[in-house]
Amino acid sequence: MDLPMLAESQRQERDGKLMGVYSPTIEQLARWIDSAEDNPAAFADYKAQRTAWHAWADALCDLPNQPGFPWPDGDVPWPEQPPKPMRYKAP
């Protein structure tokens, strides 16, 4: 097994998640945060959602530093993705 190629493949998959899922989600949350500055509850909700997405991205970026990287059996311990961002609904 070619471990350098496997490591590169797993990094590319991680990068795809960052670019294809994380980046557009963070952009959407940033727009919602900007539009909610006059609504403290919505503002706090969007910031909490953004924090969860940042933590997920950090966990993705940390994968190559985890023991066992690259995972030759293909069993990559991907961190759990947060739920899709939702518009704030007042209680």
Side-chain angles (χ1 to χ4, degrees), residues 41 88-91:
Y88 175 76
K89 292 182 183 172

Side-chain angles (χ1 to χ4, degrees), residues 14 18 22 52-62:
R14 177 215 45 208
L18 289 168
Y22 171 74
W53 279 90
H54 284 323
W56 179 69
D58 288 345
L60 284 173
C61 290
D62 290 342

Side-chain angles (χ1 to χ4, degrees), residues 2 4 10-11 36 45 55 63:
D2 187 342
Q10 291 175 2
R11 283 189 179 100
D45 180 69
L63 278 174

